[in-house]
Amino acid sequence: MANPPRFRKDAVAVPEEKHPVDETLPPLKMFTSGLQHVAAMYAGVVAPPMIVGPAVGLSATETAFLMGASLFTAGLATLLQTLGFWKVGARLPFVNGVSFAGVTPMIAIGKGEGADALPVIFGAITVAGAIGFVAAPYFGKLVRFFPPVVTGTVITLIGVSLLPVAFNWSQGGNRTATDYGSMQNIGMAAVTLVIVLLMRKFLRGFLQQISILLGLVAGTLIALPLGMTSFDAVKNASVVGFPTPFHFGAPQFQVAAIVSMCIVMLVCMTESTADILALGKIVGRPADEQAIAGGLRADTLGSAISPLFNGFMCSAFAQNIGLVAMTKVRSRFVVAAGGGILILLGLCPMAASVIGVVPLPVLGGAGIVLFGSVAASGIQTLAGAAMEKGENALIVAASVGIGLIPIAAPEFYHAFPKDLLVVLDSGISTGCVVAIVLNLAFNHGPGPGPRRGGGRRGGALPPHRGGGGPPAASGTSEPPCARTYMTARRVRAARASGCSSARPARWRRRVRGACGAAGTAVHGASAP
């Protein structure tokens, strides 16, 4: 009989294969792939400071400084998200940048604060970020209060609220200028818009992803011989410069501004949660509760420290998730390299000021697509919000209607106190609050009618909203599990009431169990 093989104690163990997310690529490929992510997000990062800067009275040079600070803080937030430390960071190929959700509320704050606008904005962002950081581990339990009917409504309002900015740019940006709204300006915006649309139609792969950036370049080249470009911002910018902490003054803390930015933080955290879940599926590492909490901590910590370097609120950039899916490069270190490139760009004011060469009508033409895409993303989210339910249609109608008041009737709240105007003049803030309250009232609160997800608190469980199956027999009470979507807690309650076939029904799976005589009268004796 052969002796069994002997294994040496000093045998070298075969190392486990790294997950693609943790894979380190060759330096050149890592740099070029990271540069792709920067190109895909660059326009989205510099657009918010380009809007907010002039709105609060900054010069072209100061606006360029603000754009450089936004690039720098976006790089820091991306490193927090990809590399992480302690319990901070999802450690996924996740790009963070300046959130569009805060643009309209920040402009509303700036209207009433004058020279102190940026310090007040920065103070509100710092507090909102700190509160979000503390709430990050618990936010996952609140996500059910932000279903697609709420998030879709808010994202739609974000895009629609930004479109007037693109229209103003298309006309020239300066209402007092003699050529404001001229055929040349609007024509230049139209040419840029057509170029972007054609690029989106005929280009493929990565070039299609950066079609807006390419459209800006093409539009600027066309505008050069027309004398519509200005190189003043580049001439006055230094080659190297560090974002001076509190360059615009120490942060100031006002309650109304803090409330407004806390609402924006809720929106950003909801978006980031959805993006983390989507990215986890794409890269083959599904996000668990710990990953979501870590990702939200990185978002909120990045937002809290951004004002120190004159940056704004940070959140996930969804377009980079599409780039990961397209290129199949899943390494988080590639995105970390992109974060490093963003930091270097933020340390070079001249590089940040290059966008100042682009004429405003060219920006307006590209902005129509950029901001319109945000609104289209919200509409796409609403498509999965069960709009056939009368309650959900009503929630969207009321929320969008109230959210559009500051755009359609800017003087609507002119008689209200100044502190309230900070919130009311932001359609995103008011629309978000209305959507959350109405969703709680119609889909989670007590009262007659169907509820999604067993939303009624306490009492007997409601029937399934879709109906189906014969009604209960006369004098027979409906069993607690009859045709409803059930959580584990409700399953235990149903079984305690005598329903032996009740079981969890995650992801809206119907439960039609056999529940004895009472159950037979409702939905038959056979299991599904």
Side-chain angles (χ1 to χ4, degrees):
M1 181 176 179
N3 294 328
R6 295 182 179 180
F7 297 95
R8 292 174 55 189
K9 294 183 179 179
D10 58 346
V12 179
V14 178
E16 293 184 5
E17 185 177 355
K18 283 187 178 180
H19 192 282
V21 171
D22 300 318
E23 185 181 6
T24 304
L25 304 183
L28 181 60
K29 186 175 182 180
M30 187 175 296
F31 174 78
T32 55
S33 299
L35 192 60
Q36 282 186 329
H37 281 281
V38 173
M41 70 179 296
Y42 184 84
V45 173
V46 299
M50 283 187 64
I51 300 170
V52 176
V56 298
L58 297 186
S59 64
T61 303
E62 291 174 324
T63 301
F65 176 87
L66 203 61
M67 288 188 287
S70 295
L71 291 169
F72 181 79
T73 54
L76 290 179
T78 299
L79 292 180
L80 284 175
Q81 195 68 263
T82 53
L83 303 181
F85 70 95
W86 184 56
K87 297 182 179 181
V88 176
R91 291 171 175 80
L92 292 171
F94 211 62
V95 178
N96 275 33
V98 182
S99 173
F100 276 114
V103 172
T104 305
M106 287 190 290
I107 293 175
I109 294 171
K111 284 182 181 178
E113 299 301 333
D116 293 331
L118 284 178
V120 172
I121 290 171
F122 290 149
I125 293 174
T126 300
V127 174
I131 293 174
F133 184 84
V134 174
Y138 312 102
F139 187 77
K141 300 175 183 178
L142 301 177
V143 171
R144 67 191 184 96
F145 297 118
F146 295 87
V149 69
V150 174
T151 56
T153 299
V154 175
I155 296 171
T156 303
L157 282 173
I158 291 171
V160 173
S161 298
L162 292 173
L163 280 173
V165 176
F167 301 151
N168 183 45
W169 284 349
S170 299
Q171 297 176 85
N174 185 4
R175 297 179 182 273
T176 61
T178 55
D179 64 343
Y180 182 77
S182 65
M183 291 186 63
Q184 184 184 43
N185 287 344
I186 295 177
M188 193 70 248
V191 168
T192 306
L193 174 61
V194 171
I195 291 173
V196 172
L197 294 176
L198 289 175
M199 287 182 173
R200 288 288 297 180
K201 172 66 177 177
F202 294 107
L203 295 181
R204 292 292 181 268
F206 173 66
L207 292 179
Q208 187 183 61
Q209 291 281 330
I210 62 171
S211 57
I212 291 178
L213 192 62
L214 295 177
L216 290 175
V217 173
T220 302
L221 293 176
I222 295 173
L224 273 174
L226 300 177
M228 299 177 66
T229 57
S230 173
F231 293 90
D232 292 341
V234 177
K235 292 178 181 178
N236 298 327
S238 57
V239 178
V240 179
F242 187 80
T244 312
F246 302 132
H247 178 79
F248 298 99
Q252 300 179 20
F253 305 97
Q254 295 189 6
V255 175
I258 291 172
V259 170
S260 182
M261 297 314 295
C262 283
I263 295 173
V264 174
M265 179 58 71
L266 278 176
V267 175
C268 292
M269 293 174 74
T270 304
E271 284 188 86
S272 292
T273 300
D275 289 338
I276 292 172
L277 292 171
L279 183 60
K281 293 179 181 178
I282 290 172
V283 300
R285 178 182 281 179
D288 55 12
E289 186 176 341
Q290 183 178 0
I292 293 174
L296 294 179
R297 285 192 184 99
D299 269 6
T300 53
L301 180 61
S303 297
I305 64 177
S306 285
L308 174 63
F309 302 104
N310 313 286
F312 296 136
M313 191 171 289
C314 298
S315 68
F317 267 44
Q319 57 264 46
N320 292 84
I321 297 177
L323 187 60
V324 172
M326 182 189 70
T327 62
K328 309 299 183 184
V329 178
R330 295 179 282 176
S331 172
R332 60 190 173 101
F333 297 106
V334 164
V335 178
I341 295 172
L342 287 171
I343 291 176
L344 292 177
L345 288 174
L347 295 175
C348 180
M350 183 173 289
S353 64
V354 167
I355 195 69
V357 176
V358 181
L360 285 179
V362 173
L363 283 170
I368 291 175
V369 178
L370 181 62
F371 304 149
S373 298
V374 178
S377 176
I379 295 172
Q380 185 178 9
T381 302
L382 287 174
M387 295 298 290
E388 69 275 7
K389 283 186 60 181
E391 294 92 339
N392 283 348
L394 185 63
I395 291 170
V396 175
S399 304
V400 171
I402 294 175
L404 288 178
I405 288 176
I407 302 173
E411 302 298 323
F412 188 84
Y413 299 112
H414 73 279
F416 282 67
K418 176 184 173 182
D419 289 341
L420 286 179
L421 291 180
V422 173
V423 177
L424 296 177
D425 277 344
S426 168
I428 297 170
S429 298
T430 54
C432 180
V433 171
V434 172
I436 292 172
V437 171
L438 291 183
N439 177 61
L440 289 173
F442 285 106
N443 291 333
H444 292 274
R451 298 287 181 268
R452 296 191 67 181
R456 182 181 298 171
R457 298 184 179 180
L461 296 177
H464 176 259
R465 63 178 176 88
S474 177
T476 304
S477 60
E478 183 175 88
C481 67
R483 303 190 310 279
T484 186
Y485 302 142
M486 302 181 69
T487 63
R489 179 175 61 84
R490 294 184 178 276
V491 167
R492 291 193 293 270
R495 287 175 175 169
S497 301
C499 176
S500 60
S501 62
R503 62 187 182 278
R506 299 185 64 186
W507 307 111
R508 293 192 241 169
R509 182 178 163 194
R510 293 188 181 186
V511 174
R512 289 178 180 162
C515 307
T520 302
V522 179
H523 47 63
S526 60

